[in-house]
Amino acid sequence: MDQYDLRSDTVTWPTPEMREAMATAELGDDVFYEDPTLNALQDEAAALLGKEAGLFVTSGTQGNLSAALAHCGRGDEAILGKTAHMFRAEAGSLSGMGGVHSSQLSDQPDGQLPLDAIRAAIRVDDEHYPRTRLICLETPHADCDGTPLPLEYVQQVAAIAKEHGVALHIDGARLFNAAAALGVPAAELVAPADSASFCLSKGLCAPIGSVVVGDAAFIERARRIRKMLGGGLRQAGVPAAAGRVSLQRMIGRIGEDHRRARMLAEGLAQIPHIRLNLERVQTNMFYLHLLPSAGINPLQLSQRLAEDDVLIMASRDHRERIRLVTHYWITDEAVEHILAAFRRALNHHS
Ligand code: TLP
């Protein structure tokens, strides 16, 4: 990459091995279930996560929506966090596309929904109320400093869900980051859930795609929803070939991104005008605040950094927080360059 792009891990380009795999992939028509490369990816993802079946989808958003609508009908209710990506940043798709009512709980800073609040949100059977069908968790929680949910917590939520006959879906867009941070196999993290989705196109570097996993009957329902959403692809073995490289090569190295996020955070914490909490740096993303003493706002900082080829996202959306995300293309040398660029950008006013 010719720029140091910290806006997200979605910006990752496919590796040369992925490009080669895409160019030479064996192909078929997936609407006829005939793409061998795609079938292999779906089977490998399901096996890796200990579920019966997998479904390739075009994006994390399409995966979460396909899963949610495979669990819920119109007027049913899903319990989720106010800052969960599924509620906050998927264009209102749960209600807009699926007529699914949401019960929004306050996420704690560690991304957990309090167990009592979940219990209290599950509806009794009464014609006045929507039917509670689904609980959604997110791990790592992107809006909560990329914090992974401990396995025990996921198990406790699953126990509540089971007791009430409600499904549990995990938005694991960065599931393998959570697994690496916790030192727990990803399959164990999703074992308590009925379904989970993870993205190939974030830290795993593939250009396109996510996978939803669950039992075979659930995946058939999700496949039908995916079709409704325009996600029935044809020679999908092209992106799937890159996704297979993601599973084979990228999962094992993801801890490097966490190590570099920590290096970067430790370096930034030394720079005047920056406030960040090092204890919260657990995966490949963290947030920092610019202190008023900086004399510039995040947008101005982003403009100065861009002059040094460092890209950060300074949108209103992030409420003055600046999120930095490390990934495959951010090397140790890149971290040094980025720290120097921050020092230069903030020196103007110190
Ligand atoms: N998140 C993106 C943007 O939406 C901000 C990012 O850069 O972090 N779940 C979680 C937890 C996510 O962070 C994202 C993407 C998604 C789902 C949706 O994935 P896509 O973008 O593939 O639809």
Side-chain angles (χ1 to χ4, degrees), residues 8 10 59-61 64 85 90 138 142 171 173-174 199 202 323:
S8 182
T10 57
S59 65
T61 300
N64 284 332
H85 198 275
E90 297 186 5
E138 179 175 319
D171 173 2
R174 301 179 177 85
C199 295
K202 296 194 167 63
R323 186 183 78 164

Side-chain angles (χ1 to χ4, degrees), residues 230-253:
L233 299 179
R234 300 297 178 171
Q235 285 75 43
V238 175
R244 293 186 73 195
V245 178
S246 292
L247 300 189
Q248 286 155 16
R249 299 256 186 270
M250 306 310 282
I251 291 174
R253 60 151 307 282

Side-chain angles (χ1 to χ4, degrees), residues 35 38 43 47 60 67 82 109 131 135 142 153 168 171 176 201 210 215 224 232 283 286 300 302 306 317:
D35 190 302
L38 184 67
D43 291 349
K82 280 183 190 153
R131 286 201 174 91
I135 300 170
Y153 170 75
L168 173 63
D171 173 2
F176 297 99
S201 63
S210 290
D215 69 31
R224 188 173 267 265
T283 55
F286 62 92
Q300 290 165 318
S302 71
D317 201 12

